[in-house]
Amino acid sequence: MIPRPEPADPLICAQVLGAARQGGPHRVHWKHRVRSRTLFYIVNGRAKAAGLGHVAPHDLRRTAAGILHNAKDSDGAHHFDLLDIQ
């Protein structure tokens, strides 16, 4: 049975080390968030595999902020305030 996540649980959980190396399936270590350096390696590795070159997690944050800031209605008014985006 897979445990249900709680609102305070991390979005990206760590992997149980050694589980797959011992012939078992990859398993997630629930309620233990991944280290920031590991997240960097995941994002950067996926970006390189997609042919994007070097991309860091903060680049994703800036891109999301830019998309939200550029979202406008038909009158040209912004959907999101800069303080909301921040």
Side-chain angles (χ1 to χ4, degrees):
M1 181 173 142
I2 298 174
R4 300 196 94 193
E6 299 294 326
D9 287 347
L11 291 176
I12 302 175
C13 297
Q15 181 179 350
V16 176
L17 297 178
R21 284 185 275 170
Q22 296 174 357
H26 291 273
R27 293 184 298 155
V28 172
H29 199 85
W30 290 103
K31 303 201 186 273
H32 291 266
R33 62 183 175 168
V34 69
R35 293 182 181 150
S36 58
R37 193 71 185 155
T38 304
L39 186 60
F40 171 82
Y41 286 128
I42 292 169
V43 170
N44 196 26
R46 292 294 182 171
K48 285 183 180 178
L52 300 175
H54 173 78
V55 175
H58 191 74
D59 296 323
L60 301 178
R61 180 181 180 183
R62 284 195 303 254
T63 300
I67 291 169
L68 292 174
H69 181 65
N70 291 330
K72 299 176 183 174
D73 62 15
S74 60
D75 296 330
H78 290 279
H79 284 289
F80 301 96
D81 185 273
L82 286 176
L83 292 175
D84 293 334
I85 295 170
Q86 187 182 25

